[in-house]
Amino acid sequence: MVAGDSSLGPRWGLILRRGFLKRCARCGSGHLFEGWFRLKERCPRCGMRFEREPGAFTGVYLLNFGVALFLLWAVMMVYIAQLALADGGDVNALPIVIAGVAVAVVFPVAFYPYAKTIWIAIHLGAEELSPEERADADKHRSVLADGSTPKTP
């Protein structure tokens, strides 16, 4: 049994912490990315397939968009507070525009790998691995232990 698998249900705190740290939600292993945007097909330690079903990563985009939208809202609230507190209503909007552009453009790119691992954690917490997925991960892990190259279906 791999850490994170439990008959008592998911351990949300542990699973989400692993996702926030860009680690495998199932076993806690790191080194899940081949580049900033390219997630490996499986966990290098436990063998869990990250894309458990077609379209599984649609939630990544929603998560990334939602967090960016929240941050844009926070930037706008700061601007509104500055306007309300300004005596003459004369507030320099340039810093707010720069912050808004940074949040809208830079943040989603920087947060993307975290959104991916967080979404994997949410998916694993909501729906534990099926017996078939466990067997597939175990098979993949045993192939890697032999030193041979894993075969993917």
Side-chain angles (χ1 to χ4, degrees):
M1 181 175 284
V2 175
D5 288 346
S6 170
S7 61
L8 299 175
R11 296 181 292 181
W12 279 99
L14 176 63
I15 290 172
L16 286 176
R17 187 173 337 115
R18 288 174 175 171
F20 277 99
L21 296 173
K22 286 188 358 183
R23 298 192 167 275
C24 175
R26 185 176 185 222
C27 71
S29 175
H31 307 291
L32 306 181
F33 289 85
E34 294 172 345
W36 192 255
F37 298 107
R38 186 165 168 78
L39 181 69
K40 293 178 180 176
E41 182 181 340
R42 294 174 176 271
C43 173
R45 185 182 349 168
C46 73
M48 179 179 81
R49 183 183 303 274
F50 293 126
E51 188 170 356
R52 295 172 59 190
E53 58 193 26
F57 288 134
T58 305
V60 173
Y61 302 110
L62 178 63
L63 178 64
N64 206 356
F65 177 73
V67 173
L69 194 60
F70 173 76
L71 291 175
L72 279 172
W73 174 84
V75 168
M76 290 306 302
M77 291 301 106
V78 168
Y79 181 63
I80 290 170
Q82 286 178 345
L83 284 175
L85 295 174
D87 288 334
D90 190 22
V91 176
N92 185 4
L94 183 61
I96 296 297
V97 170
I98 292 170
V101 168
V103 166
V105 176
V106 177
F107 176 80
V109 173
F111 186 66
Y112 183 74
Y114 294 95
K116 257 197 164 168
T117 55
I118 292 167
W119 187 255
I120 291 167
I122 291 169
H123 191 191
L124 182 64
E127 183 181 333
E128 289 190 14
L129 295 179
S130 69
E132 295 82 17
E133 288 174 311
R134 287 178 198 247
D136 179 53
D138 292 342
K139 177 182 168 189
H140 185 78
R141 188 174 56 235
S142 68
V143 168
L144 288 177
D146 293 343
S148 55
T149 305
K151 305 272 191 288
T152 56

